[in-house]
């Protein structure tokens, strides 16, 4: 008779081999295989079975999971990667959403998550693949960043509508389907951020080794998205706060904790030894026009003095702070965040003291944020490198004249005589 583990391993091998098989055209069958693999990596004993299938099958499975997201049901793929990571990320060991236990401890009926059982073996395969395959990393990360941009923008658009509906007198008209879609976009944003955290932690050189052609661009895009998420979630009396405080049924998962903790895990990319690479990450974060030190201070409950003065009435809700979640975030993790904050505060003071204002005609005409630094061949139009590199990932025409770009050169403004 087969040992139960052998049966599990046989099944694991079938799932690993066929969940992304292009010959399977039936969407239902493909979905079922994907779902089965997702639940397989969710439980310790079946995950061990996946880890025991032959190495080349495991590597090929991981390679399929890292294919660009646009071409397939990416949300399920992303959940699978998240499950291999949960338990290793920053403040990511919970089985119940921490903010729910704080606001409604009596509500123990809410579904609890599986206990985390991360797979360091499969994480290692992922890191090796991303490091060794020069094309795989940029195409995978570009697609994750695109989906995050989409999911988070959709979420913000929806909470605007929900908030407007809730302000009308007949508040019960917030459509429950809309709430469900809104919560899904939020959960997707959090899980995409966790996959970015996983990538940044396992293979930081993809962002920090600038001998790789796409690293600088990926790091700039990552910084830009993190700053946008932080600013939207931490602004004083913002839309996010207002919708969270409405406590609408169906939006239970939408809260500061899941999203800010995931962003913090990525920001700690530069918290290792202060090397040239870590400095590079700091410089890119601070150079992003959306960077606000206030958003990072928010993580540790440092509100602005003016805001505290204005919030004198006792009715105002206490500020979010990672320090109030010590049962989910370790002391060691909090020390890292403290160090990161003091380092960023110091660096941003210095940066502010040394930057010269750029005149308007020297700014990139696409983003109006960075100085012009690239000139396109053959048409000689110009932008900053970040804008043109980002554009060329999905399009080969000049922004301005639609000529096909054959190359991009560095541009420095000639010194004025």
């Amino acid at each position: 008779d087969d040992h139960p583990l052998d049966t599990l391993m046989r099944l694991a091998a079938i799932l690993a081999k066929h969940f992304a098989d292009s010959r399977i055209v039936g969407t239902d069958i493909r979905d079922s295989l994907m779902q089965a693999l997702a639940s397989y990596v969710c439980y310790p004993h079946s995950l061990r079975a996946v880890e025991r299938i032959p190495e080349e099958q495991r590597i090929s499975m991981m390679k399929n999971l890292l294919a660009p997201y646009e071409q397939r049901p990416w949300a399920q793929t992303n959940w699978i990667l998240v499950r291999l990571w949960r338990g290793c990320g920053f403040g990511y060991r919970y089985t119940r959403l921490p903010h729910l236990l704080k606001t409604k401890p009596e509500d123990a009926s809410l579904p609890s998550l599986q206990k985390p059982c991360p797979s360091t073996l499969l994480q290692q395969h992922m890191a090796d693949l991303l490091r060794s395959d020069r094309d795989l990393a940029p195409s995978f990360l570009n697609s994750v960043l695109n989906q995050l941009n989409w999911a988070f923008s959709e979420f913000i658009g929806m909470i605007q509508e929900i908030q407007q509906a809730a302000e009308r007198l007949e508040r019960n008209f917030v459509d429950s389907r809309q709430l469900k879609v809104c919560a899904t976009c939020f959960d997707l944003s959090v899980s995409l951020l966790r996959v970015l955290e996983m990538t940044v932690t396992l293979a930081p050189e993809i962002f920090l080794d600038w001998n790789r052609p796409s690293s600088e661009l990926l790091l700039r895009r990552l910084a830009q998205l993190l700053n946008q998420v932080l600013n939207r979630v931490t602004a004083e009396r913002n839309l996010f706060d207002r919708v969270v405080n409405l406590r609408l049924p169906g939006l239970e998962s939408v809260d500061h904790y899941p999203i800010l903790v995931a962003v913090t895990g990525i920001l700690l990319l530069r918290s290792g030894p202060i090397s040239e690479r870590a400095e590079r990450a700091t410089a890119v974060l601070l150079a992003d026009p959306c960077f606000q030190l206030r958003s990072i201070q928010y993580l540790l409950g440092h509100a602005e003095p003016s805001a505290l003065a204005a919030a004198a009435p006792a009715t105002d809700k206490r500020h979010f702070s990672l320090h109030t979640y010590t049962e989910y975030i370790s002391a060691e993790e909090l020390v890292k965040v403290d160090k990161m904050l003091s380092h960023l505060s110091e660096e941003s003071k210095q940066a502010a003291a040394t930057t010269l204002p750029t005149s308007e005609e020297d700014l990139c005409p696409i983003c109006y944020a960075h100085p012009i630094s690239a000139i396109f061949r053959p048409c000689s139009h110009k932008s900053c490198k970040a804008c043109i590199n980002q554009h060329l990932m999905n399009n080969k025409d000049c922004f301005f004249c639609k000529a096909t770009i054959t190359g991009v050169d560095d541009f420095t403004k000639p010194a004025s005589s």
Side-chain angles (χ1 to χ4, degrees), residues 212-249:
R212 290 169 166 265
S214 47
S215 288
E216 183 182 357
L217 167 67
L218 288 170
L219 186 60
R220 284 188 195 287
R221 282 197 72 192
L222 180 66
Q224 188 185 17
L225 268 166
L226 291 183
N227 283 327
Q228 282 170 8
V229 170
L230 271 172
N231 295 347
R232 280 297 172 78
V233 177
T234 65
E236 280 303 323
R237 292 188 177 61
N238 66 9
L239 189 64
F240 188 84
D241 283 343
R242 293 207 295 270
V243 170
V244 166
N245 291 335
L246 288 172
R247 300 264 166 245
L248 296 170

Side-chain angles (χ1 to χ4, degrees), residues 30 32 47 84 99 107 156-157 173 182 194 212 234 236 239 243 252 255 267 274 287 303 306 315 348 364 369:
R30 283 178 39 188
S32 306
L47 176 64
L84 300 175
H99 59 277
D107 202 348
I156 292 294
F173 283 109
C182 177
R194 285 297 186 178
R212 290 169 166 265
T234 65
E236 280 303 323
L239 189 64
V243 170
E252 287 85 2
D255 191 87
L267 286 172
I274 300 296
S306 62
T315 51
S348 68
C364 165

Side-chain angles (χ1 to χ4, degrees), residues 90-103:
F90 179 86
Y92 203 31
R93 292 169 292 279
Y94 50 81
T95 52
R96 288 265 161 87
L97 283 168
H99 59 277
L100 288 180
L101 289 176
K102 272 193 137 38
T103 51

Side-chain angles (χ1 to χ4, degrees), residues 9-48:
M9 273 171 61
R10 286 218 186 103
L11 259 172
I14 292 170
L15 292 174
K17 187 172 176 190
H18 295 297
F19 84 96
D21 192 328
S22 55
R23 295 169 304 178
I24 300 175
V25 285
T27 336
D28 293 355
I29 300 175
R30 283 178 39 188
D31 277 357
S32 306
L33 287 170
M34 188 76 99
Q35 296 294 353
L37 184 62
S39 49
Y40 237 74
V41 297
C42 211
Y43 300 95
H45 52 285
S46 48
L47 176 64
R48 297 301 157 246

Side-chain angles (χ1 to χ4, degrees), residues 41-302:
V41 297
C42 211
Y43 300 95
H45 52 285
S46 48
L47 176 64
R48 297 301 157 246
V50 176
E51 292 180 335
R52 292 169 90 153
I53 63 176
E55 185 173 29
E56 76 230 41
Q57 288 180 9
R58 291 195 306 265
I59 292 173
S60 140
M61 171 184 91
M62 291 310 290
K63 194 165 186 170
N64 280 326
L65 288 171
L66 298 176
Y69 276 8
E70 278 83 5
Q71 295 139 25
R72 63 225 168 87
W74 57 272
Q76 290 105 308
T77 307
N78 200 72
W79 293 126
I80 295 173
L81 291 173
V82 164
R83 283 168 177 165
L84 300 175
W85 178 243
R86 224 178 105 233
C88 298
F90 179 86
Y92 203 31
R93 292 169 292 279
Y94 50 81
T95 52
R96 288 265 161 87
L97 283 168
H99 59 277
L100 288 180
L101 289 176
K102 272 193 137 38
T103 51
K104 314 187 197 169
E106 74 289 351
D107 202 348
S109 60
L110 281 160
S112 71
L113 305 156
Q114 258 323 104
K115 255 185 88 103
C117 54
S119 168
T120 38
L121 176 66
L122 297 175
Q123 287 173 21
Q124 195 49 56
H125 291 331
M126 174 169 166
D128 294 342
L129 282 164
L130 289 170
R131 281 196 198 105
S132 59
D133 187 330
R134 288 273 166 140
D135 298 329
L136 180 73
S139 66
F140 168 66
L141 286 165
N142 185 44
S143 71
V144 174
L145 291 162
N146 286 346
Q147 304 300 0
L148 174 60
N149 192 19
W150 172 82
F152 190 70
S153 306
E154 285 289 301
F155 165 71
I156 292 294
M158 283 181 186
I159 62 173
Q160 274 167 339
E161 285 174 29
I162 288 167
Q163 210 255 329
Q164 284 159 3
E167 273 179 352
R168 293 198 294 268
L169 290 170
E170 64 281 10
R171 324 184 10 169
N172 51 351
F173 283 109
V174 183
D175 172 17
S176 63
R177 206 184 112 264
Q178 191 184 10
L179 292 175
K180 194 172 165 32
V181 178
C182 177
T184 304
C185 284
F186 179 78
D187 297 340
L188 279 172
S189 303
V190 172
S191 80
L192 287 157
L193 284 163
R194 285 297 186 178
V195 167
L196 286 168
E197 177 194 31
M198 179 181 184
T199 313
V200 154
T201 313
L202 295 174
E205 59 270 46
I206 295 169
F207 292 93
L208 299 180
D209 173 5
W210 286 8
N211 296 322
R212 290 169 166 265
S214 47
S215 288
E216 183 182 357
L217 167 67
L218 288 170
L219 186 60
R220 284 188 195 287
R221 282 197 72 192
L222 180 66
Q224 188 185 17
L225 268 166
L226 291 183
N227 283 327
Q228 282 170 8
V229 170
L230 271 172
N231 295 347
R232 280 297 172 78
V233 177
T234 65
E236 280 303 323
R237 292 188 177 61
N238 66 9
L239 189 64
F240 188 84
D241 283 343
R242 293 207 295 270
V243 170
V244 166
N245 291 335
L246 288 172
R247 300 264 166 245
L248 296 170
L251 286 191
E252 287 85 2
S253 68
V254 177
D255 191 87
H256 298 80
Y257 185 92
I259 196 154
L260 290 180
V261 173
V263 169
T264 305
I266 302 173
L267 286 172
L268 292 173
L269 159 70
R270 46 126 326 274
S271 72
I274 300 296
S275 62
E276 182 192 342
R277 285 184 176 184
E279 284 307 313
R280 190 171 280 167
T282 305
V284 166
L285 188 70
L286 296 183
D288 181 63
C290 297
F291 174 78
Q292 293 180 5
L293 188 62
R294 183 194 58 69
S295 293
I296 313 259
Q297 291 165 333
Y298 182 101
L299 298 172
L300 293 172
H302 305 300

